[in-house]
């Protein structure tokens, strides 16, 4: 499975096993052009793509002809008709899970995919219930906290000011993913009642973690983004970074082009998009050490106050700033700043702030900073501490998952601390 740019502990990439050599030869046999790069084992994060020689910006690295892509058109027509009502994601997964004779041609490719036990370690959808449910807060059995971060959405806050989880703007990332899976499974079971749920879930996650955006040529109507999926041999070995190579496609092929120069042995990345670490963990099973797009939601700290004050809610609705409030690597986002001003300022000053006409007002800045510290930063810090303590009390069977969650919660604490330092620097 592609992973993020995590630490490699100063070690150099090493060659892959015979199954990847066979897969590379299979790919070339299907017309895939592989130039100046190869698959390698990257210490600390598994497989990736590295430069074999000096590469210049604009060099073509991988070209996959349309005939080598695994799309819905690669699936026999009779099979497609049997699963006509399922999403493209669900259809591809059903095909991989089916044991159909035409899957034989993909066996060398499938041999390079993560195993079910690999996915069990890193994909939250497969984690045991003890990690996905609330657990008692230490020294306060009447309260419970979530071991999963709030963006992933799994239950109540433990903090006294948020005793009821306010999922005001829809389910969390994990709940959305699970809903999509169960919808697909329900349709698939109508065509194949005996399909193994565990095997289908594995194949569904393989598609989820290894597919790319692709617009199938020749369609009469444009499809929703979620149904524009393709599985692309060899390209699926690239790991993710904030910024990466250029990935393009047309009716004829799928191409990866170098975004900058690379030295021999250097790992080469693509970007899966501008995603938070919570999204990357739920969808792909990893988090980045450093992610310039990272954020955590703070709607639950602000929305209850907004909903209780009709005039402030109306203000925010009128200017298009109701909801989607976040704390990111640069502090609270502008939408959050606007929401806080809606709660703190009179209508005249609020309009000035929204229109960018407000001159620097130390008193208003101080009020906003105090609000952020007490309503957002303190709560997130306290919640993270409770979750980390609860993780330490879990048994050793979940060691790898505990390590991921502990790391994620500490990233959230670091985000909070950076915001606090910004306030201190501004005050000085």
């Amino acid at each position: 499975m592609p992973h993020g740019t995590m630490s490699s502990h100063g070690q150099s990439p090493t060659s892959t096993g015979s199954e990847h050599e066979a897969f590379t030869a299979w790919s070339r046999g299907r017309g895939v052009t592989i130039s100046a790069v190869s698959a390698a084992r990257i210490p600390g994060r598994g497989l990736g793509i590295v430069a074999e020689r000096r590469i210049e910006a604009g060099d073509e690295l991988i070209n996959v002809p349309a005939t080598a892509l695994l799309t819905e058109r690669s699936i026999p027509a009779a099979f497609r008709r049997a699963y006509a009502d399922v999403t493209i994601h669900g259809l591809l997964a059903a095909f991989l899970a089916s044991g159909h004779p035409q899957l034989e041609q993909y066996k060398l490719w499938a041999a390079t995919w993560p195993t079910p036990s690999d996915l069990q370690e890193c994909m939250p959808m497969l984690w045991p219930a003890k990690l996905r449910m609330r657990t008692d807060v230490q020294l306060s059995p009447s309260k419970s906290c979530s071991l999963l971060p709030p963006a992933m959405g799994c239950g109540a806050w433990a903090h006294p000011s948020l005793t009821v989880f306010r999922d005001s703007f829809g389910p969390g990332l994990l709940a959305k993913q699970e809903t999509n899976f169960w919808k697909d499974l329900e349709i698939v079971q109508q065509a194949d009642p005996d399909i193994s749920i565990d095997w289908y879930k594995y194949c569904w996650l393989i598609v989820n973690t290894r597919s790319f955006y692709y617009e199938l040529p020749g369609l009469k109507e444009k499809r929703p983004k979620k149904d524009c999926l393709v599985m692309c041999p060899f390209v699926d070995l690239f790991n993710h970074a904030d910024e990466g190579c250029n990935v393009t496609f047309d009716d004829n092929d799928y191409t990866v082009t170098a975004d900058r120069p690379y030295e021999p042995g250097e790992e080469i990345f693509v970007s899966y998009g501008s995603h938070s670490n919570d999204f990357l963990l739920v969808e792909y099973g990893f988090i980045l050490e450093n992610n310039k797009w990272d954020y955590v939601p703070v709607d639950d700290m602000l929305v209850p106050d907004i909903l209780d004050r009709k005039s402030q809610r109306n203000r925010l609705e009128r200017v298009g700033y109701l909801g989607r409030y976040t704390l990111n690597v640069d502090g609270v986002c502008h939408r959050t700043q606007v929401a806080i001003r809606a709660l703190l300022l009179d209508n005249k000053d609020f309009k000035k702030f929204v229109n960018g006409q407000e001159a620097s007002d130390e008193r208003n800045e101080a009020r906003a900073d105090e609000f952020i510290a007490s309503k957002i930063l303190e709560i997130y810090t306290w919640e993270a501490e409770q979750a980390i303590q609860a993780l330490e009390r879990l048994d050793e069977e979940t060691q790898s998952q505990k390590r991921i969650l502990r790391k994620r919660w500490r990233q959230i604490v670091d985000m909070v601390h950076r915001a606090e330092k910004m306030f201190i620097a501004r005050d000085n």
Side-chain angles (χ1 to χ4, degrees):
M1 176 191 309
H3 283 72
T5 53
M6 299 181 74
S7 172
S8 60
H9 310 292
Q11 301 177 44
S12 300
T14 58
S15 61
T16 56
S18 58
E19 71 275 11
H20 286 89
E21 294 174 4
F23 167 59
T24 300
W26 174 87
S27 298
R28 287 193 164 113
R30 295 178 70 87
V32 178
T33 303
I34 304 168
S35 305
V37 299
S38 61
R41 295 197 179 279
I42 313 296
R45 63 176 177 270
L47 290 172
I49 296 291
V50 299
E52 290 185 324
R53 58 168 173 77
R54 168 79 180 185
I55 292 172
E56 302 297 337
D59 285 355
E60 184 179 285
L61 307 179
I62 310 288
N63 179 272
V64 183
T67 53
L69 300 173
L70 178 51
T71 72
E72 64 185 274
R73 290 178 181 164
S74 310
I75 300 173
F79 191 97
R80 295 201 306 267
R81 286 194 296 270
Y83 296 85
D85 295 327
V86 77
T87 64
I88 300 303
H89 186 162
L91 174 65
L92 291 170
F95 181 56
L96 296 181
S98 68
H100 194 283
Q102 286 202 23
L103 287 170
E104 180 70 15
Q105 64 184 303
Y106 301 113
K107 67 178 184 180
L108 293 178
W109 185 9
T112 68
W113 298 343
T115 65
S117 59
D118 291 333
L119 295 185
Q120 186 78 43
E121 285 196 4
C122 66
M123 297 299 294
M125 187 170 154
L126 299 177
W127 286 355
K130 68 180 88 175
L131 290 173
R132 297 154 54 82
M133 300 175 66
R134 299 191 297 275
T135 188
D136 289 344
V137 172
Q138 195 169 28
L139 303 179
S140 182
S142 63
K143 299 189 187 308
S144 62
C145 68
S146 167
L147 298 179
L148 301 181
M152 296 168 67
C154 84
W157 292 81
H159 195 275
S161 70
L162 291 171
T163 53
V164 178
F165 185 71
R166 306 289 188 104
D167 202 2
S168 307
F169 291 89
L173 294 167
L174 185 57
K176 288 178 182 177
Q177 183 186 60
E178 290 178 325
T179 296
N180 292 336
F181 167 74
W182 288 109
K183 284 181 178 178
D184 281 345
L185 177 63
E186 183 179 4
I187 297 171
V188 166
Q189 285 179 321
Q190 293 173 13
D192 183 2
D194 297 325
I195 193 169
S196 164
I197 294 177
D198 288 343
W199 181 242
Y200 181 71
K201 185 180 290 187
Y202 165 73
C203 293
W204 195 89
L205 287 173
I206 286 292
V207 176
N208 196 75
T209 57
R210 307 189 77 78
S211 58
F212 294 85
Y213 182 83
Y214 180 69
E215 296 177 6
L216 203 64
L219 295 177
K220 294 180 180 179
E221 296 181 0
K222 187 174 179 63
R223 283 179 167 169
K225 186 176 180 180
K226 66 182 179 65
D227 279 332
C228 296
L229 293 182
V230 66
M231 296 188 71
C232 195
F234 215 85
V235 176
D236 63 356
L237 293 176
F238 280 95
N239 286 324
H240 164 78
D242 288 345
E243 298 177 354
C245 292
N246 302 312
V247 180
T248 58
F249 63 85
D250 56 28
D251 292 357
N252 300 312
D253 50 27
Y254 212 97
T255 305
V256 180
T257 306
D259 61 318
R260 61 173 178 82
Y262 290 88
E263 298 300 326
E266 186 178 357
E267 185 172 7
I268 303 172
F269 301 93
V270 298
S271 175
Y272 304 167
S274 307
H275 300 306
S276 72
N277 272 354
D278 291 312
F279 182 94
L280 293 173
L281 179 55
V282 169
E283 295 294 327
Y284 301 108
F286 66 84
I287 56 177
L288 298 179
E289 292 278 1
N290 298 292
N291 180 1
K292 69 179 182 180
W293 307 113
D294 201 13
Y295 69 87
V296 292
V298 298
D299 294 86
D300 291 330
M301 290 84 165
L302 298 178
V303 170
D305 285 339
I306 294 169
L307 294 180
D308 289 342
R309 305 182 193 182
K310 186 176 180 180
S311 61
Q312 282 85 346
R313 178 190 176 108
N314 290 341
R315 280 184 192 176
L316 291 167
E317 284 183 324
R318 281 197 301 269
V319 295
Y321 280 89
L322 181 61
R324 303 199 310 278
Y325 307 129
T326 62
L327 171 69
N328 57 42
V329 294
D330 297 317
V332 294
C333 72
H334 181 67
R335 294 185 67 85
T336 306
Q337 293 282 8
V338 172
I340 291 169
R341 266 53 177 203
L343 293 171
L344 298 180
L345 303 181
D346 61 32
N347 199 46
K348 180 180 178 182
D349 287 341
F350 174 72
K351 286 181 178 179
K352 287 183 178 179
F353 182 85
V354 171
N355 294 328
Q357 298 170 346
E358 181 191 52
S360 179
D361 186 321
E362 292 185 3
R363 185 176 65 87
N364 286 342
E365 287 286 347
R367 291 174 66 200
D369 289 352
E370 183 181 353
F371 187 98
I372 293 168
S374 62
K375 294 286 289 187
I376 297 175
L377 305 184
E378 289 179 8
I379 291 175
Y380 254 116
T381 300
W382 191 89
E383 204 75 25
E385 289 171 352
Q386 300 306 316
I388 292 170
Q389 290 174 15
L391 284 167
E392 298 300 333
R393 299 196 297 273
L394 292 180
D395 55 51
E396 294 300 310
E397 294 178 7
T398 56
Q399 195 63 29
S400 58
Q401 295 98 332
K402 282 169 59 177
R403 191 180 306 116
I404 295 171
L405 285 175
R406 191 163 50 235
K407 186 185 188 88
R408 179 56 186 149
W409 276 112
R410 286 175 176 160
Q411 287 180 335
I412 291 172
V413 172
D414 289 344
M415 210 180 297
V416 169
H417 288 169
R418 281 197 296 273
E420 290 172 338
K421 289 178 180 177
M422 292 177 192
F423 294 156
I424 294 171
R426 189 157 59 215
D427 291 342
N428 293 336

